[in-house]
Amino acid sequence: MITSFIIAGIIYVTILIFLARRTRLKEKTTSNYLLAGGNLGMLLGLFTTAATIFSAFTVIGMPDFFRIHGIGSWIFLAVADAMLVYLLIRVGMVIRSRARSLDYQGMAGLLANAYGYKFVGLIAFVGVVIFLVPYISVQIKGVSTFLSAAFPEALPHWGWKTIIVAIMIVYSEVGGLRAIMYNDTLQGIVLFIVIWVIGLNCISEFGSVAGMFQRVESLNADLLSVPGPNGLFTVQFYVISAISIAILPFTQPQISTRIIIMKSNSALRRMAIGLGVFAVLVILPTMFMGMYGAILYSDVPRDEFIGHVLLYDQAPAIAALGLIGLIAAAISTSDSQIFALGTELRSLLSSSDKEALATTRIFIAVFGIAALVFSILSIEHLVSLALTSFSGTALLAPLILTGLLSKKKPGLLIPIATILALVIFILSLMNFIPGRFGTVDIRMILFASLAIVTGIEIIRLKTQP
Amino acid sequence: MKKRNNILKLTDLIFVLITVASFTGVLIPAGKFTPKLMGAPYTAWMGVVFCFAYILLAYIASKYQKEGPDDN
């Protein structure tokens, strides 16, 4: 496999250099470097958004999640993603139009203007930094897991992580958002093909889909229904994950930026529908991979299972392509996220464009290093880590949506409630306060409280002369 | 304009109904994996049906949602 991997690796790096050179800008401005000219077509928009959402978390995290928790994993991600598509149409189009009319440079800057206070933009910025860094580390951890499984003796986990972050920072520093989006498209196509080839290989091991599920039923029937063998999939879990995932396009800046820079609403419409179909088609083979693991590798550690399903049990060419696809996925997704943090920072800076961009580029590297450190220190499961990130940024939704959708200037009620919610959630993650009160998860309490506060603010704005 | 708004209200209502159903025994009956479809357990195939229902609903809404100067 090593020869196939080296060949595929050389081809991939050559394409990256080609893309970076092609998109290299003589003079970088906020518009062309951070926002790719604000003129994104349907196809590029679809692939870059899909690649930003589906990455190492999907390819490595989801098969393992299916293997351990069973079929309910489908509801957790695929159904929530389908909800996201509907909201993208109904709310995303309004937000896109509003943001473009207000000279969008980043969500934080937009909110500072919408509320009339710079600190509101800072809340959004700090919120996404705190909760995107763990998500970026998901990608880095995911791909280092995979590389360690492929080449156990070559490098320690932290060595692989450092190499990935270095490539990521150099690539985004050179090419800007358009280069990242081309890489997204490349990785989206490679990953889509590889994941289906592997998924179909997994089914062929048992003759058919029915044969596969029959084997699972005979070994552990709890995997075929909710709440799953470990009791994870409760209604509460689903509600929290659905809220956190369905509003991702508005709460995570790497996605909202892509929506806003779509060249037209009709392109956004087609992109959103394509994204829904893409989501179903990408998550489906991870179910097959998970069921394969539940039958053949039910008791082994995650790294070993991933090594088998993606590498050792596949033909060398597919394994090598998978390895490259996954590295590309991790790099492009993390790039997008780190870059989005840079864009958010830029939108809060009021110095000249040249100075602000120079500062932003330094911080893009700082965010990358922060994610690297977090990925080395964190021991949480990939999917749990991603869900924590989704839930954390979901707490920003009332602040963002009210700020962008309200025709009147909102007051400080929602910003203050958001700060409180973020602090409480972070304290619960650090175990300073309980994460559950009885059977109720603290995120449910925070979501409900923010919804009530938002309702009060909306009524106040409506009754205001 | 009125017809468009009514259709969008209807798609929103259906969205809420499907979402509520997503968290009940309609999609996630505890401990049950029958009836199967082509060997797939109930929650798996019904989950796929729900996904396409959302996408179809989004498609219908997208036909009637107009926002901004590039919409005709």
Side-chain angles (χ1 to χ4, degrees):
Chain A
M1 192 190 71
I2 188 86
T3 317
S4 311
F5 175 68
I6 290 169
I7 294 168
I10 290 169
I11 294 171
Y12 173 65
V13 171
T14 310
I15 294 173
L16 271 193
I17 293 168
F18 169 74
L19 291 177
R21 280 183 65 88
R22 200 174 163 227
T23 51
R24 191 169 186 172
L25 302 158
K26 279 190 186 129
E27 193 169 339
K28 292 180 171 72
T29 64
T30 295
S31 170
N32 67 15
Y33 180 69
L34 292 180
L35 300 172
N39 192 23
L40 196 57
M42 179 262 170
L43 212 55
L44 194 57
L46 167 62
F47 276 106
T48 184
T49 311
T52 301
I53 298 175
F54 306 107
S55 54
F57 148 66
T58 317
V59 183
I60 292 180
M62 286 310 288
D64 195 41
F65 219 54
F66 273 110
R67 177 182 73 120
I68 296 167
H69 300 292
I71 222 71
S73 309
W74 178 267
I75 313 301
F76 152 68
L77 190 63
V79 173
D81 279 332
M83 290 177 191
L84 174 156
V85 170
Y86 187 79
L87 295 181
L88 195 50
I89 296 285
R90 293 292 281 127
V91 186
M93 282 169 61
V94 183
I95 285 188
R96 176 187 169 275
S97 297
R98 186 68 57 87
R100 286 178 82 96
S101 69
L102 293 171
D103 188 26
Y104 177 82
Q105 292 199 326
M107 198 56 89
L110 212 57
L111 290 177
N113 283 336
Y115 282 85
Y117 295 98
K118 198 161 185 175
F119 89 92
V120 177
L122 267 175
I123 299 169
F125 175 65
V126 172
V128 292
V129 169
I130 291 172
F131 290 105
L132 264 191
V133 167
Y135 191 31
I136 299 166
S137 77
V138 168
Q139 321 301 329
I140 301 166
K141 268 173 77 124
V143 79
S144 74
T145 299
F146 196 24
L147 283 163
S148 295
F151 311 107
E153 306 298 323
L155 280 175
H157 271 274
W158 66 264
W160 289 119
K161 286 171 183 170
T162 308
I163 291 173
I164 293 157
V165 172
I167 295 175
M168 224 159 67
I169 292 173
V170 170
Y171 186 68
S172 41
E173 289 283 348
V174 172
L177 185 57
R178 194 156 281 276
I180 291 173
M181 291 194 300
Y182 282 130
N183 185 26
D184 283 347
T185 305
L186 173 71
Q187 75 94 349
I189 294 167
V190 171
L191 211 63
F192 187 81
I193 294 168
V194 168
I195 204 170
W196 264 102
V197 171
I198 294 176
L200 292 174
N201 277 350
C202 290
I203 295 172
S204 69
E205 182 75 21
F206 312 105
S208 65
V209 172
M212 179 182 74
F213 283 120
Q214 214 155 24
R215 284 284 296 277
V216 176
E217 187 180 338
S218 67
L219 290 169
N220 188 356
D222 287 344
L223 286 166
L224 300 183
S225 63
V226 295
N230 304 305
L232 178 72
F233 298 124
T234 60
V235 170
Q236 183 173 229
F237 176 90
Y238 281 135
V239 171
I240 290 169
S241 52
I243 292 173
S244 305
I245 292 170
I247 56 177
L248 279 179
F250 320 114
T251 57
Q252 298 224 338
Q254 74 278 16
I255 310 176
S256 35
T257 297
R258 281 160 174 74
I259 294 166
I260 292 164
I261 64 172
M262 292 298 293
K263 73 175 173 192
S264 67
N265 271 331
S266 59
L268 174 58
R269 251 180 235 137
R270 284 179 280 136
M271 182 276 268
I273 302 298
L275 187 66
V277 176
F278 194 91
V280 172
L281 292 179
V282 160
I283 301 166
L284 199 56
T286 69
M287 184 201 290
F288 304 148
M289 289 151 69
M291 293 298 104
Y292 174 88
I295 298 165
L296 298 178
Y297 304 106
S298 62
D299 295 322
V300 305
R302 182 194 64 196
D303 288 13
E304 201 178 324
F305 159 59
I306 291 300
H308 276 286
V309 73
L310 295 177
L311 296 171
Y312 307 128
D313 298 357
Q314 306 301 328
I318 292 297
L321 205 59
L323 206 47
I324 294 300
L326 197 78
I327 295 169
I331 290 175
S332 73
T333 304
S334 315
D335 257 357
S336 307
Q337 291 160 343
I338 290 172
F339 214 75
L341 292 178
T343 309
E344 291 304 297
L345 176 70
R346 165 66 190 94
S347 70
L348 289 173
L349 299 175
S350 46
S351 47
S352 74
D353 198 44
K354 203 173 174 183
E355 278 174 23
L357 259 189
T359 312
T360 303
R361 292 178 72 191
I362 292 167
F363 271 88
I364 285 172
V366 172
F367 295 137
I369 293 162
L372 171 66
V373 171
F374 194 92
S375 75
I376 292 170
L377 298 178
S378 136
I379 50 162
E380 224 181 317
H381 189 283
L382 291 183
V383 176
S384 313
L385 209 54
L387 190 54
T388 302
S389 162
F390 298 161
S391 304
T393 51
L395 296 173
L396 298 169
L399 181 82
I400 294 170
L401 294 175
T402 311
L404 291 187
L405 299 178
S406 171
K407 289 191 172 89
K408 293 177 188 166
K409 210 178 260 296
L412 290 177
L413 184 62
I414 294 178
I416 290 166
T418 304
I419 295 174
L420 281 174
L422 287 170
V423 169
I424 291 170
F425 186 48
I426 292 164
L427 289 176
S428 78
L429 291 173
M430 296 167 84
N431 294 321
F432 287 126
I433 56 172
R436 299 181 84 87
F437 290 88
T439 55
V440 185
D441 192 296
I442 196 157
R443 288 169 293 182
M444 283 295 275
I445 299 170
L446 294 175
F447 287 156
S449 308
L450 283 172
I452 293 167
V453 167
T454 308
I456 294 169
E457 180 65 358
I458 289 170
I459 292 168
R460 190 188 72 78
L461 287 168
K462 278 198 170 165
T463 51
Q464 207 179 43
Chain B
M1 184 71 176
K2 200 178 171 194
K3 184 187 164 200
R4 180 191 296 167
N5 284 341
N6 285 340
I7 289 171
L8 288 173
K9 275 182 191 160
L10 185 65
T11 59
D12 286 347
L13 178 69
I14 297 170
F15 173 78
V16 171
L17 292 176
I18 300 176
T19 302
V20 171
S22 302
F23 303 125
T24 67
V26 176
L27 179 59
I28 46 170
K32 268 188 71 179
F33 52 87
T34 53
K36 293 180 182 177
L37 184 69
M38 293 188 295
Y42 177 78
T43 298
W45 67 262
M46 190 51 108
V48 176
V49 171
F50 266 60
C51 284
F52 282 109
Y54 277 117
I55 295 167
L56 179 66
L57 204 59
Y59 176 75
I60 296 167
S62 77
K63 290 277 158 199
Y64 293 92
Q65 170 114 353
K66 303 289 175 195
E67 194 69 42
D70 53 70
D71 289 305
N72 298 308

